[in-house]
Amino acid sequence: MTWVAWRQHRAQLLLMAAVLLLGVVAVLVLHTSMVQQIQAQGLERCLAVGGQGPGCATGVSDFRDEWFDLLRVGQLVIVVLPVLLGVFSGAPLFAREIEHGTHVLAFAQSVTRVGWMAAKLVMLVVPSLVVLVVLQLLVSSWVADAGLMGPLVDGPFSFLNFESMGWMPAVHLLFGYALGTLLGAVLGRSLPAMISTLAGLVAVRGAVGLAGPALMPSQLRTSADPMSAPESGVDEVVQVGFLGADGRTIPEGGFNAAVCGSRGDVPVSTFDPAQCYAQHGVVGQYAEVVPASYAPILQLIEFGVLGVVAVLLLGGTAWTLRRKH
């Protein structure tokens, strides 16, 4: 059965090997070039202080102009790769067999249907996981060496940072294969299965990205100056607004800050914005944030949920294939 699975999917496996080779070479070359630039331009001291030190502004700005988008592209590849594998490898895995009727021959062999399913899945999932994990480790090291001069400045909850770190790419790969194989087995046609898988994976990614931070407890941070927001750093900001004199929070939109801006009919030298805020009962600003330290916990929660759903989807695939004629 293993030899048959290899013969059926050798083109995909060779393509994965080519992607791995090209990806490794590209990331290593770019990573080395970036590190050499940091050393040549003396940006190590700026890197050590998050790019905020004296005399760092110009160097960090030039560095980001050259490398920020490239680093983002590397992260995007890690995020998109599980989707592509789920669509182009997972969805047609059984749909093509059913569509062409070759599953009847497989069912007539001595191997059980579940054994046939497992052999085909292992033949593709394991190499896919190897490719993804190797590229993820290389990209993560590349991004880490850019520090807060790179995408990490957006915090661990930003979409690309969150989805390209830790166990998230691996669980999304397993989920992509599980959803693709189930839809392929149910629909029995490759193209509809691929389209449905793509739509499903995009919808799940979007829903998880939007709902994720809301699952974590937030903290309230305040400032005593109504013209300056409290420091949030790389934490995820959930809500911002103003503080009333009685300590109540006024969510964004509840107070029109423009009324305390510069007024054309009043000389700037005589207009006092602070007095204006005080007259309206506003004494400061607040920010409701989810600390960056909660990101690994949220990743673990999503890993567990998506992992359980992936197992259930694979169980549904096995049940569907056992009922096929």
Side-chain angles (χ1 to χ4, degrees):
M1 190 64 221
T2 302
W3 182 85
V4 174
W6 155 253
R7 292 282 295 178
Q8 286 181 317
H9 304 296
R10 58 183 175 181
Q12 291 170 279
L13 295 173
L14 292 174
L15 180 59
M16 287 183 198
V19 168
L20 177 61
L21 178 61
L22 292 175
V24 167
V25 171
V27 175
L28 288 178
V29 169
L30 290 169
H31 188 175
T32 302
S33 177
M34 186 193 75
V35 171
Q36 290 175 344
Q37 180 176 332
I38 290 175
Q39 295 172 346
Q41 296 181 359
L43 293 175
E44 294 99 329
R45 62 182 181 85
C46 299
L47 191 61
V49 294
Q52 301 298 319
C56 290
T58 301
V60 171
S61 177
D62 292 341
F63 177 87
R64 285 176 175 164
D65 287 342
E66 183 171 353
W67 290 103
F68 200 92
D69 288 341
L70 284 173
L71 290 163
R72 281 297 198 199
V73 169
Q75 292 180 310
L76 183 63
V77 169
I78 302 304
V79 172
V80 169
L81 192 55
V83 176
L84 296 178
L85 289 169
V87 171
F88 291 101
S89 292
L93 186 60
F94 302 118
R96 186 179 295 114
E97 298 263 14
I98 297 170
E99 188 174 14
H100 296 161
T102 54
H103 68 291
V104 176
L105 177 61
F107 291 168
Q109 306 303 310
S110 58
V111 65
T112 64
R113 297 187 181 193
V114 174
W116 173 69
M117 167 187 159
K120 289 173 70 65
L121 270 173
V122 170
M123 183 61 65
L124 286 180
V125 172
V126 172
S128 298
L129 196 57
V130 170
V131 172
L132 179 64
V133 170
V134 170
L135 292 179
Q136 180 195 358
L137 292 175
L138 291 174
V139 170
S140 296
S141 176
W142 181 26
V143 172
D145 281 349
L148 294 181
M149 297 192 303
L152 294 181
V153 72
D154 294 332
F157 285 105
S158 75
F159 180 75
L160 288 180
N161 286 343
F162 188 85
E163 296 293 338
S164 64
M165 296 186 332
W167 295 94
M168 299 311 296
V171 76
H172 278 295
L173 175 69
L174 297 176
F175 181 81
Y177 265 102
L179 180 62
T181 53
L182 176 60
L183 291 174
V186 171
L187 297 176
R189 295 178 60 193
S190 296
L191 185 58
M194 293 168 69
I195 295 173
S196 301
T197 300
L198 177 60
L201 293 178
V202 170
V204 168
R205 280 287 179 91
V208 169
L210 290 174
L215 300 175
M216 306 305 295
S218 61
Q219 298 178 355
L220 189 69
R221 296 179 184 171
T222 63
S223 74
D225 184 356
M227 291 179 289
S228 107
E231 182 66 33
S232 60
V234 295
D235 298 330
E236 178 74 1
V237 178
V238 178
Q239 188 180 65
V240 296
F242 291 93
L243 285 174
D246 56 357
R248 64 189 174 87
T249 58
I250 307 172
E252 190 174 23
F255 170 72
N256 183 12
V259 300
C260 291
S262 296
R263 297 179 180 178
D265 57 342
V266 179
V268 175
S269 59
T270 61
F271 178 68
D272 185 0
Q275 184 179 3
C276 176
Y277 280 109
Q279 290 174 348
H280 287 83
V282 176
V283 299
Q285 290 192 38
Y286 79 91
E288 189 177 344
V289 303
V290 178
S293 58
Y294 289 178
I297 301 174
L298 181 58
Q299 285 186 323
L300 185 61
I301 293 172
E302 291 189 12
F303 177 83
V305 171
L306 291 177
V308 170
V309 174
V311 171
L312 294 176
L313 292 176
L314 289 174
T317 303
W319 181 82
T320 302
L321 290 175
R322 292 184 65 179
R323 294 175 60 87
K324 287 290 181 182
H325 300 290

